[in-house]
Amino acid sequence: MQDTSYKLSLAQRATRWCKAFTSQWQLQSMAILGVVYMLIFNFVPIYGLTIAFKNYSVISGIGGSEWIGLENFKIILQDKYFWESVINTFGISAIKLSVGFVLPIIIAILIFELKWTPFKKLVQTITYLPHFLSWIILGGMLITWMSSNGMMNDMLGAIGIKSNTNHMLDANKYWVIAALSDVWKEAGWGTILYLATMSKIDPTYYEAAEIDGASRMRKIWSITLPSLGNILALNLILSVAGLFNSNLDQTLVLMNSQNQPKAEVINSYVYRVGLSQGDFAYATAVGLGVSVISVILLVGANVVTKKLNDNRSVL
């Protein structure tokens, strides 16, 4: 009797699903196209990850290549160039996280506090603009600015520091240049979510705080920032999960033979080993390992953030 009621329940659910699909068949048809696209281009290629565990040969193909288990991963652990790329990736990403996570919040609050609408729109446009420029354009600008007779040396000379160094050839400066240039490019674009959240804050909160004599900084600290709590937690989780993901476009444009020891990141290393040298199995193993670490970081950041939010609610 229990099994029959369970079967009837499934039948009822199927009937409801069919009715919902029929009533919204136009929207559901559009969604099906997206699902099919995801299956073909995102899920089916997952089968190709098996070459990380094989001695892959283009001639033999994925199915015909010899299975070697974890041999490629053992080679990774002994590859000093891979570990150099890991250190570079983590170093650049750490600078990006420390600066790039805070700066969009500051910019968003400053834009939100502006009262003159035309000037606010102008500031938004200026801060958004670098996001829409490719790294080919921005990289060329940076290389020119950092050259021996570029704008950077002119600025240093203006404050009494004489320099004719080509900063892009100095490997020790690459981390800072790469991180800050990426923050400069994306900081304005990163304010969109914060501004959208701020626009939904009830204005009566600010009016009540103003009646109580709260200063502008107090209103920002006590009303604006707490209202951004959820979106801040989400962005922090995604930022931590992306610590080992690097900007390949930026690296390929800015990297040269002089700064390569500090510029080689995991993505460029995989690109060089996989496509340039044709070692697809090894490159796939590197990419798979980094993806697993990113998932672990994502889950860990999510757990820590949830606990912090729970503790804050208790307090």
Side-chain angles (χ1 to χ4, degrees), residues 191-261:
T191 63
I192 291 178
L193 291 177
Y194 299 128
L195 288 171
T197 305
M198 291 178 193
S199 65
K200 297 180 181 179
I201 300 175
D202 191 345
T204 57
Y205 293 157
Y206 294 102
E207 294 172 2
E210 190 170 352
I211 293 173
D212 291 339
S215 63
R216 175 170 289 186
M217 288 301 300
R218 172 53 63 182
K219 288 187 285 186
I220 292 173
W221 185 259
S222 300
I223 301 175
T224 306
L225 287 177
S227 301
L228 298 176
N230 292 332
I231 194 65
L232 286 174
L234 176 62
N235 281 345
L236 181 61
I237 291 171
L238 296 177
S239 298
V240 171
L243 277 176
F244 287 96
N245 290 325
S246 49
N247 194 325
L248 179 61
D249 294 342
Q250 179 193 35
T251 303
L252 293 180
V253 172
L254 300 182
M255 184 170 62
N256 54 58
S257 59
Q258 298 297 315
N259 64 24
Q260 184 174 359

Coordinates of all heavy atoms in Angstrom, one line a residue, residues 191-261:
T191 N 31.8 47.5 -9.0 CA 30.9 48.3 -8.1 C 29.4 48.1 -8.5 O 28.5 48.5 -7.7 CB 31.2 49.8 -8.3 OG1 31.0 50.2 -9.6 CG2 32.6 50.1 -7.9
I192 N 29.1 47.4 -9.6 CA 27.7 47.3 -10.1 C 26.8 46.6 -9.1 O 25.7 47.1 -8.7 CB 27.7 46.6 -11.4 CG1 28.3 47.5 -12.5 CG2 26.2 46.3 -11.8 CD1 28.4 46.8 -13.9
L193 N 27.2 45.5 -8.6 CA 26.4 44.8 -7.6 C 26.2 45.6 -6.3 O 25.1 45.6 -5.7 CB 27.1 43.4 -7.3 CG 27.1 42.4 -8.4 CD1 27.8 41.1 -8.0 CD2 25.7 42.0 -8.8
Y194 N 27.3 46.3 -5.9 CA 27.2 47.0 -4.6 C 26.2 48.2 -4.8 O 25.4 48.5 -3.9 CB 28.5 47.5 -4.2 CG 29.5 46.5 -3.9 CD1 30.8 46.4 -4.5 CD2 29.2 45.4 -3.0 CE1 31.7 45.4 -4.2 CE2 30.1 44.4 -2.8 CZ 31.4 44.4 -3.4 OH 32.2 43.4 -3.1
L195 N 26.3 48.9 -5.9 CA 25.4 50.0 -6.2 C 23.9 49.6 -6.3 O 23.0 50.2 -5.9 CB 25.8 50.8 -7.5 CG 27.1 51.6 -7.4 CD1 27.5 52.1 -8.7 CD2 26.9 52.8 -6.4
A196 N 23.7 48.4 -7.0 CA 22.4 47.9 -7.1 C 21.8 47.5 -5.7 O 20.6 47.8 -5.5 CB 22.4 46.6 -8.0
T197 N 22.6 47.0 -4.8 CA 22.2 46.7 -3.5 C 21.9 47.9 -2.7 O 20.9 48.0 -2.0 CB 23.2 45.8 -2.7 OG1 23.5 44.7 -3.5 CG2 22.7 45.4 -1.4
M198 N 22.8 49.0 -2.8 CA 22.6 50.2 -2.1 C 21.3 50.9 -2.5 O 20.6 51.6 -1.7 CB 23.8 51.1 -2.3 CG 25.0 50.7 -1.7 SD 26.4 51.8 -2.1 CE 27.8 50.8 -1.6
S199 N 20.9 50.8 -3.8 CA 19.7 51.5 -4.3 C 18.5 50.9 -3.7 O 17.4 51.6 -3.7 CB 19.7 51.3 -5.8 OG 19.5 50.0 -6.2
K200 N 18.5 49.7 -3.1 CA 17.4 49.1 -2.5 C 17.2 49.4 -1.0 O 16.3 48.9 -0.3 CB 17.4 47.6 -2.7 CG 17.3 47.2 -4.2 CD 17.3 45.7 -4.3 CE 17.2 45.3 -5.8 NZ 17.3 43.8 -6.0
I201 N 18.2 50.1 -0.4 CA 18.2 50.5 1.0 C 17.0 51.5 1.2 O 16.9 52.5 0.5 CB 19.5 51.1 1.5 CG1 20.6 50.0 1.3 CG2 19.4 51.4 2.9 CD1 22.0 50.6 1.6
D202 N 16.2 51.2 2.2 CA 15.1 52.1 2.6 C 15.6 53.5 3.0 O 16.4 53.6 3.9 CB 14.3 51.5 3.7 CG 13.0 52.2 3.9 OD1 12.8 53.3 3.4 OD2 12.1 51.7 4.6
P203 N 15.3 54.6 2.3 CA 15.8 55.9 2.6 C 15.4 56.4 4.0 O 16.0 57.3 4.6 CB 15.1 56.8 1.5 CG 14.5 55.9 0.5 CD 14.4 54.6 1.1
T204 N 14.3 55.8 4.6 CA 13.9 56.2 5.9 C 14.9 55.9 6.9 O 15.0 56.6 8.0 CB 12.5 55.5 6.3 OG1 12.7 54.1 6.2 CG2 11.4 56.0 5.3
Y205 N 15.8 54.9 6.7 CA 16.9 54.6 7.6 C 17.8 55.8 7.7 O 18.2 56.2 8.8 CB 17.6 53.3 7.2 CG 16.9 52.1 7.2 CD1 17.2 51.0 6.4 CD2 15.8 51.9 8.1 CE1 16.5 49.8 6.5 CE2 15.1 50.7 8.1 CZ 15.4 49.7 7.3 OH 14.7 48.5 7.4
Y206 N 18.2 56.3 6.6 CA 19.1 57.5 6.6 C 18.4 58.7 7.2 O 19.0 59.5 7.9 CB 19.5 57.8 5.1 CG 20.4 56.7 4.5 CD1 19.9 55.8 3.6 CD2 21.7 56.6 4.9 CE1 20.6 54.9 3.0 CE2 22.5 55.6 4.3 CZ 22.0 54.7 3.4 OH 22.8 53.8 2.8
E207 N 17.1 58.9 6.9 CA 16.4 60.0 7.5 C 16.3 59.9 9.0 O 16.5 60.9 9.7 CB 15.0 60.1 6.9 CG 14.9 60.4 5.4 CD 13.6 60.2 4.8 OE1 12.6 59.9 5.6 OE2 13.4 60.4 3.6
A208 N 16.1 58.7 9.5 CA 16.0 58.5 11.0 C 17.4 58.7 11.6 O 17.5 59.4 12.7 CB 15.5 57.1 11.3
A209 N 18.4 58.3 10.9 CA 19.8 58.4 11.5 C 20.2 59.9 11.5 O 20.8 60.4 12.4 CB 20.8 57.6 10.6
E210 N 19.7 60.7 10.4 CA 20.0 62.1 10.4 C 19.3 62.8 11.5 O 19.9 63.8 12.1 CB 19.6 62.6 9.0 CG 20.1 64.0 8.7 CD 19.9 64.5 7.3 OE1 19.6 63.6 6.5 OE2 20.1 65.6 7.0
I211 N 18.1 62.4 11.8 CA 17.3 63.1 12.9 C 18.0 62.8 14.2 O 18.1 63.7 15.1 CB 15.9 62.5 12.9 CG1 15.1 63.0 11.7 CG2 15.2 63.0 14.2 CD1 13.7 62.4 11.5
D212 N 18.6 61.6 14.3 CA 19.4 61.3 15.6 C 20.7 62.0 15.7 O 21.5 61.8 16.6 CB 19.5 59.8 15.7 CG 18.2 59.1 16.0 OD1 17.3 59.8 16.4 OD2 18.1 57.9 15.7
G213 N 21.1 62.7 14.6 CA 22.4 63.4 14.6 C 23.5 62.6 14.1 O 24.7 63.0 14.3
A214 N 23.3 61.5 13.4 CA 24.4 60.7 12.8 C 25.1 61.5 11.7 O 24.5 62.1 10.9 CB 23.9 59.4 12.3
S215 N 26.4 61.4 11.7 CA 27.2 62.0 10.7 C 27.2 61.1 9.4 O 26.6 60.0 9.4 CB 28.7 62.1 11.1 OG 29.3 60.8 11.4
R216 N 27.7 61.6 8.3 CA 27.7 60.8 7.1 C 28.5 59.5 7.2 O 28.1 58.5 6.8 CB 28.3 61.7 5.9 CG 28.4 60.9 4.6 CD 28.8 61.8 3.5 NE 27.6 62.6 3.1 CZ 27.6 63.4 2.0 NH1 28.7 63.5 1.2 NH2 26.5 64.1 1.7
M217 N 29.7 59.6 7.9 CA 30.5 58.4 8.1 C 29.7 57.4 9.0 O 29.8 56.2 8.8 CB 31.8 58.8 8.7 CG 32.8 59.5 7.8 SD 33.2 58.5 6.3 CE 33.9 57.0 7.1
R218 N 29.0 57.9 10.0 CA 28.3 57.0 10.9 C 27.1 56.3 10.1 O 26.9 55.1 10.3 CB 27.7 57.7 12.0 CG 26.7 57.0 12.9 CD 27.3 55.7 13.4 NE 28.5 55.9 14.2 CZ 29.2 54.9 14.7 NH1 28.8 53.6 14.4 NH2 30.2 55.1 15.5
K219 N 26.5 57.0 9.2 CA 25.4 56.4 8.4 C 26.0 55.3 7.4 O 25.4 54.3 7.2 CB 24.7 57.5 7.6 CG 23.8 58.3 8.4 CD 23.0 59.3 7.6 CE 23.8 60.4 7.1 NZ 23.0 61.5 6.4
I220 N 27.2 55.6 6.9 CA 27.8 54.6 6.0 C 28.2 53.4 6.8 O 27.9 52.2 6.4 CB 29.1 55.2 5.3 CG1 28.7 56.3 4.3 CG2 29.9 54.1 4.7 CD1 29.9 57.1 3.8
W221 N 28.7 53.6 8.0 CA 29.2 52.4 8.8 C 28.0 51.6 9.4 O 28.1 50.4 9.5 CB 30.1 53.0 9.9 CG 30.7 51.9 10.8 CD1 30.3 51.5 12.0 CD2 31.8 51.1 10.4 NE1 31.1 50.5 12.4 CE2 32.1 50.2 11.5 CE3 32.7 51.1 9.3 CZ2 33.1 49.3 11.5 CZ3 33.7 50.2 9.3 CH2 33.9 49.3 10.4
S222 N 27.0 52.3 9.8 CA 25.9 51.6 10.5 C 24.7 51.2 9.6 O 23.9 50.3 10.0 CB 25.3 52.5 11.6 OG 26.3 52.9 12.5
I223 N 24.6 51.8 8.4 CA 23.5 51.5 7.5 C 23.9 50.9 6.2 O 23.5 49.8 5.8 CB 22.6 52.7 7.2 CG1 22.1 53.3 8.5 CG2 21.5 52.4 6.3 CD1 21.3 54.6 8.4
T224 N 24.8 51.6 5.5 CA 25.2 51.1 4.1 C 26.0 49.8 4.2 O 25.6 48.9 3.5 CB 26.1 52.2 3.5 OG1 25.4 53.5 3.5 CG2 26.4 51.8 2.0
L225 N 27.1 49.8 5.0 CA 27.9 48.6 5.0 C 27.1 47.3 5.5 O 27.2 46.2 4.9 CB 29.1 48.8 5.8 CG 30.2 49.7 5.2 CD1 31.4 49.9 6.2 CD2 30.7 49.1 3.9
P226 N 26.3 47.4 6.6 CA 25.6 46.2 7.0 C 24.6 45.7 5.9 O 24.3 44.5 5.8 CB 24.8 46.7 8.2 CG 25.7 47.8 8.8 CD 26.2 48.5 7.6
S227 N 24.1 46.7 5.1 CA 23.2 46.3 4.0 C 23.9 45.5 2.9 O 23.2 44.8 2.1 CB 22.5 47.5 3.5 OG 21.8 48.2 4.4
L228 N 25.2 45.6 2.8 CA 26.0 44.9 1.8 C 26.5 43.6 2.3 O 27.2 42.9 1.6 CB 27.1 45.8 1.4 CG 26.8 47.1 0.8 CD1 28.1 47.9 0.5 CD2 26.1 47.0 -0.5
G229 N 26.0 43.1 3.5 CA 26.6 41.9 4.1 C 26.5 40.7 3.2 O 27.5 40.0 3.0
N230 N 25.4 40.4 2.6 CA 25.2 39.2 1.8 C 26.0 39.2 0.5 O 26.7 38.3 0.2 CB 23.7 39.0 1.5 CG 22.9 38.7 2.7 OD1 23.4 38.1 3.7 ND2 21.6 39.0 2.7
I231 N 26.0 40.4 -0.2 CA 26.8 40.5 -1.4 C 28.3 40.5 -1.1 O 29.1 40.0 -1.9 CB 26.3 41.7 -2.2 CG1 26.8 41.6 -3.7 CG2 26.8 43.0 -1.6 CD1 26.3 40.5 -4.4
L232 N 28.7 41.0 0.0 CA 30.1 41.0 0.4 C 30.5 39.6 0.6 O 31.6 39.2 0.2 CB 30.3 41.9 1.6 CG 30.3 43.4 1.4 CD1 30.4 44.1 2.8 CD2 31.4 43.8 0.5
A233 N 29.7 38.8 1.3 CA 30.0 37.4 1.6 C 30.1 36.6 0.3 O 31.1 35.8 0.1 CB 29.0 36.8 2.5
L234 N 29.2 36.8 -0.6 CA 29.2 36.1 -1.9 C 30.5 36.5 -2.7 O 31.2 35.6 -3.2 CB 28.0 36.5 -2.7 CG 27.9 35.9 -4.1 CD1 27.9 34.4 -4.1 CD2 26.7 36.4 -4.9
N235 N 30.8 37.7 -2.8 CA 32.0 38.1 -3.5 C 33.3 37.6 -2.9 O 34.3 37.3 -3.6 CB 32.1 39.7 -3.7 CG 31.2 40.2 -4.7 OD1 30.7 39.4 -5.6 ND2 30.9 41.5 -4.7
L236 N 33.3 37.6 -1.6 CA 34.5 37.1 -0.9 C 34.7 35.6 -1.1 O 35.8 35.1 -1.4 CB 34.4 37.3 0.6 CG 35.5 36.8 1.5 CD1 36.8 37.5 1.1 CD2 35.3 37.0 3.0
I237 N 33.6 34.8 -1.1 CA 33.7 33.4 -1.4 C 34.2 33.2 -2.8 O 35.1 32.3 -3.1 CB 32.3 32.8 -1.3 CG1 31.9 32.7 0.2 CG2 32.3 31.3 -1.8 CD1 30.4 32.3 0.4
L238 N 33.7 33.9 -3.8 CA 34.1 33.7 -5.2 C 35.6 34.2 -5.4 O 36.3 33.6 -6.1 CB 33.2 34.5 -6.1 CG 31.7 34.1 -6.2 CD1 30.9 35.0 -7.1 CD2 31.7 32.6 -6.7
S239 N 36.0 35.2 -4.7 CA 37.4 35.7 -4.8 C 38.3 34.7 -4.2 O 39.4 34.4 -4.8 CB 37.5 37.1 -4.0 OG 36.7 38.0 -4.6
V240 N 38.0 34.1 -3.0 CA 38.9 33.1 -2.4 C 39.0 31.9 -3.3 O 40.0 31.3 -3.5 CB 38.4 32.8 -1.0 CG1 39.1 31.6 -0.5 CG2 38.5 34.0 -0.1
A241 N 37.8 31.5 -3.9 CA 37.8 30.3 -4.8 C 38.7 30.5 -6.0 O 39.2 29.6 -6.6 CB 36.4 30.0 -5.2
G242 N 38.8 31.8 -6.4 CA 39.6 32.1 -7.6 C 41.1 32.4 -7.3 O 41.7 33.0 -8.2
L243 N 41.6 32.1 -6.2 CA 43.0 32.4 -5.8 C 44.0 31.8 -6.8 O 45.0 32.3 -7.1 CB 43.3 32.0 -4.4 CG 42.9 33.0 -3.3 CD1 43.2 32.4 -1.9 CD2 43.6 34.3 -3.4
F244 N 43.6 30.6 -7.3 CA 44.6 29.9 -8.2 C 44.2 30.0 -9.6 O 44.7 29.3 -10.5 CB 44.7 28.4 -7.7 CG 45.5 28.2 -6.5 CD1 44.8 28.1 -5.3 CD2 46.9 28.2 -6.5 CE1 45.6 28.0 -4.1 CE2 47.6 28.1 -5.3 CZ 46.9 27.9 -4.1
N245 N 43.2 30.9 -9.9 CA 42.9 31.2 -11.3 C 43.5 32.5 -11.7 O 43.4 33.5 -10.9 CB 41.3 31.2 -11.5 CG 40.7 29.9 -11.3 OD1 41.3 28.9 -11.7 ND2 39.5 29.8 -10.7
S246 N 44.1 32.6 -12.8 CA 44.8 33.8 -13.2 C 44.3 34.3 -14.5 O 43.7 33.5 -15.3 CB 46.4 33.5 -13.3 OG 46.6 32.4 -14.0
N247 N 44.7 35.5 -14.9 CA 44.2 36.1 -16.1 C 45.2 35.8 -17.2 O 46.3 36.3 -17.3 CB 44.1 37.6 -15.9 CG 43.4 38.3 -17.0 OD1 43.4 37.9 -18.2 ND2 42.6 39.3 -16.7
L248 N 44.8 34.8 -18.1 CA 45.8 34.4 -19.1 C 46.0 35.5 -20.1 O 47.2 35.7 -20.6 CB 45.2 33.2 -19.8 CG 46.0 32.6 -21.0 CD1 47.4 32.1 -20.5 CD2 45.3 31.4 -21.7
D249 N 45.0 36.2 -20.5 CA 45.2 37.3 -21.5 C 46.2 38.3 -21.0 O 47.1 38.7 -21.7 CB 43.8 38.0 -21.7 CG 42.8 37.1 -22.4 OD1 43.2 36.1 -23.0 OD2 41.6 37.5 -22.4
Q250 N 46.1 38.7 -19.7 CA 47.0 39.7 -19.2 C 48.4 39.2 -19.2 O 49.4 39.9 -19.5 CB 46.6 40.1 -17.7 CG 47.5 41.0 -17.1 CD 47.2 41.1 -15.6 OE1 46.9 40.1 -14.9 NE2 47.3 42.3 -15.0
T251 N 48.6 37.9 -18.8 CA 49.9 37.3 -18.7 C 50.6 37.2 -20.0 O 51.8 37.5 -20.2 CB 49.8 35.9 -18.1 OG1 49.2 36.0 -16.8 CG2 51.2 35.3 -17.9
L252 N 49.8 36.8 -21.1 CA 50.4 36.6 -22.4 C 50.8 38.0 -23.0 O 51.8 38.0 -23.8 CB 49.4 36.0 -23.3 CG 49.1 34.5 -23.0 CD1 48.1 34.0 -24.0 CD2 50.3 33.6 -23.0
V253 N 50.1 39.0 -22.6 CA 50.5 40.4 -23.1 C 51.7 41.0 -22.3 O 52.6 41.5 -23.0 CB 49.3 41.3 -23.0 CG1 49.7 42.8 -23.3 CG2 48.2 40.9 -23.9
L254 N 51.7 40.8 -21.0 CA 52.7 41.5 -20.2 C 54.0 40.7 -20.0 O 55.0 41.2 -19.7 CB 52.1 41.9 -18.8 CG 50.9 42.8 -18.8 CD1 50.5 43.1 -17.4 CD2 51.2 44.1 -19.6
M255 N 53.9 39.4 -20.2 CA 55.1 38.5 -19.9 C 56.1 38.6 -21.0 O 55.8 38.7 -22.2 CB 54.7 37.1 -19.7 CG 55.8 36.1 -19.3 SD 55.2 34.5 -18.9 CE 54.4 33.9 -20.4
N256 N 57.4 38.7 -20.6 CA 58.5 38.7 -21.5 C 59.6 37.8 -21.0 O 59.5 37.3 -19.9 CB 59.0 40.1 -21.8 CG 59.3 40.9 -20.5 OD1 60.2 40.5 -19.7 ND2 58.7 42.0 -20.3
S257 N 60.7 37.7 -21.7 CA 61.8 36.8 -21.3 C 62.5 37.2 -20.0 O 63.0 36.4 -19.3 CB 62.8 36.7 -22.4 OG 63.4 38.0 -22.7
Q258 N 62.4 38.5 -19.7 CA 63.1 39.0 -18.5 C 62.2 38.8 -17.2 O 62.8 38.5 -16.2 CB 63.4 40.5 -18.7 CG 64.3 40.8 -19.8 CD 65.7 40.2 -19.6 OE1 66.3 40.3 -18.5 NE2 66.2 39.6 -20.7
N259 N 60.9 39.0 -17.3 CA 60.1 38.9 -16.1 C 59.4 37.5 -16.0 O 58.6 37.3 -15.1 CB 59.0 40.0 -16.1 CG 58.0 39.9 -17.2 OD1 57.8 38.9 -17.8 ND2 57.5 41.1 -17.5
Q260 N 59.7 36.6 -16.9 CA 59.0 35.3 -17.0 C 59.1 34.5 -15.6 O 58.1 33.9 -15.2 CB 59.5 34.4 -18.1 CG 58.7 33.1 -18.2 CD 59.1 32.3 -19.5 OE1 59.9 32.8 -20.3 NE2 58.5 31.2 -19.7
P261 N 60.2 34.5 -14.9 CA 60.3 33.8 -13.7 C 59.2 34.2 -12.7 O 58.8 33.4 -11.8 CB 61.7 34.1 -13.1 CG 62.5 34.3 -14.4 CD 61.5 35.1 -15.3

